[in-house]
Amino acid sequence: MPEGDTIHQAARRLHTALAGHTVTRSDLRVPKLATVDLTGRTVLDVTPRGKHLLTRIEGGLTLHSHLRMDGSWRVYAPGERWSGGPGYQIRAILGTAERTAVGYRLPVLELLRTADEHKAVGHLGPDLLGPDWDPEKALDNLLATPERPLGEALLDQRNLAGIGNVFKSEICFLLGTTPWLPIGELPAETAARLPALSKKLLEANRDRPSRTTTGRDRPGQRLYVYGRAPRPCLRCGTPIRKAQQGDGSRDRPTYWCPSCQQGPTP
């Protein structure tokens, strides 16, 4: 599931493959961009911002994409078989003489003036893996609505950028509270730990092929709670539980240990 750590990995792969090279194949398969042709332009850089990707292109253009739940960018060498999904799921192709980047299942794909990037990402809070990271600002943002459930506050990219369902569940477990606890009810010392803990988890996984929050590298033991219901908690042995969080408009699977985490539950 794409979150801040995997978005940084994707940006690095795309930057390595495309930056400094001229586009020789351009195919943007969304109605608004169907007639856009980027061939002949040089890719300048690929920059992550929270869970967004900004591919900057010569001529003051930025191709903005967001992967949401199951989108992906794959990079292929000439002659290599494309394997990211069936052809009808391809939304973007950017090719150079040496590599081709293929975007699968991209729910957000738009071409902006680079000067207008703020229209796509200006609403985001401090980026946990970005140069603008500001832990005090992030905490102030989170605590601005004290009645809001902790899990929902963590997912709101306007508070801090980069956390998704996986890290939300893992952060709440490590704090010892359920994702439904109003964030204003967190003890002051626990709230103070929140920004640094969040950054630590994403930084630890920024360069890892397999995400882990436990420090273990065995299948089924890399995460404390996410995806583990109804298996036993790695700490206490209590069966992990799962429920949806939020208003139901999005798929928000949430996992917790009813023994290790204190607070309200569904």
Side-chain angles (χ1 to χ4, degrees):
M1 182 178 296
E3 301 192 22
D5 56 338
T6 50
I7 295 301
H8 269 254
Q9 293 175 22
R12 186 165 58 244
R13 288 193 302 270
L14 289 170
H15 183 86
T16 300
L18 301 177
H21 298 280
T22 301
V23 176
T24 57
R25 181 178 180 183
S26 168
D27 188 358
L28 305 178
R29 300 180 181 179
V30 297
K32 290 193 299 183
L33 304 180
T35 61
V36 171
D37 185 4
L38 299 174
T39 57
R41 298 175 185 262
T42 299
V43 177
L44 304 179
D45 67 76
V46 182
T47 297
R49 182 72 173 87
K51 296 193 286 184
H52 300 251
L53 285 166
L54 302 171
T55 302
R56 297 177 178 131
I57 299 168
E58 180 185 16
L61 298 176
T62 295
L63 187 65
H64 166 234
S65 58
H66 193 296
L67 308 186
R68 288 191 180 159
M69 296 293 287
D70 63 348
S72 71
W73 279 96
R74 304 290 184 92
V75 176
Y76 300 101
E80 185 178 359
R81 183 174 179 270
W82 297 0
S83 56
Y88 68 83
Q89 293 183 346
I90 294 173
R91 296 292 176 267
I93 301 171
L94 287 179
T96 71
E98 298 181 356
R99 292 288 187 273
T100 299
V102 184
Y104 290 89
R105 301 171 299 278
L106 302 176
V108 175
L109 186 69
E110 59 178 344
L111 192 65
L112 308 168
R113 302 298 303 180
T114 300
D116 292 334
E117 286 180 357
H118 64 278
K119 295 180 179 179
V121 298
H123 66 288
L124 298 177
D127 186 342
L128 282 154
L129 295 178
D132 68 317
W133 173 241
D134 183 338
E136 294 183 1
K137 175 62 174 174
L139 186 57
D140 287 344
N141 291 345
L142 289 164
L143 295 176
T145 51
E147 71 282 359
R148 196 171 191 189
L150 172 59
E152 293 183 23
L154 289 172
L155 288 180
D156 190 336
Q157 303 299 295
R158 296 170 297 181
N159 291 331
L160 69 174
I163 293 174
N165 289 322
V166 177
F167 283 115
K168 172 194 73 173
S169 294
E170 296 296 296
I171 290 167
C172 290
F173 176 83
L174 291 168
L175 291 176
T177 186
T178 68
W180 290 271
L181 181 77
I183 192 168
E185 295 183 18
L186 279 175
E189 62 273 16
T190 302
R193 292 175 52 210
L194 184 50
L197 173 62
S198 302
K199 182 174 178 61
K200 179 181 178 180
L201 289 182
L202 267 72
E203 281 191 332
N205 287 281
R206 180 170 52 187
D207 300 317
R208 292 183 56 87
S210 299
R211 182 185 288 150
T212 181
T213 58
T214 64
R216 308 179 192 183
D217 206 22
R218 295 178 58 187
Q221 296 188 6
R222 294 189 178 108
L223 302 175
Y224 282 108
V225 291
Y226 190 88
R228 300 195 68 253
R231 285 176 287 176
C233 175
L234 295 175
R235 281 186 177 172
C236 73
T238 301
I240 298 299
R241 297 185 63 187
K242 174 187 176 182
Q244 290 289 328
Q245 185 171 25
D247 60 9
S249 62
R250 295 185 181 182
D251 187 23
R252 297 297 195 194
T254 302
Y255 297 80
W256 78 100
C257 172
S259 294
C260 292
Q261 295 171 253
Q262 306 301 308
T265 58

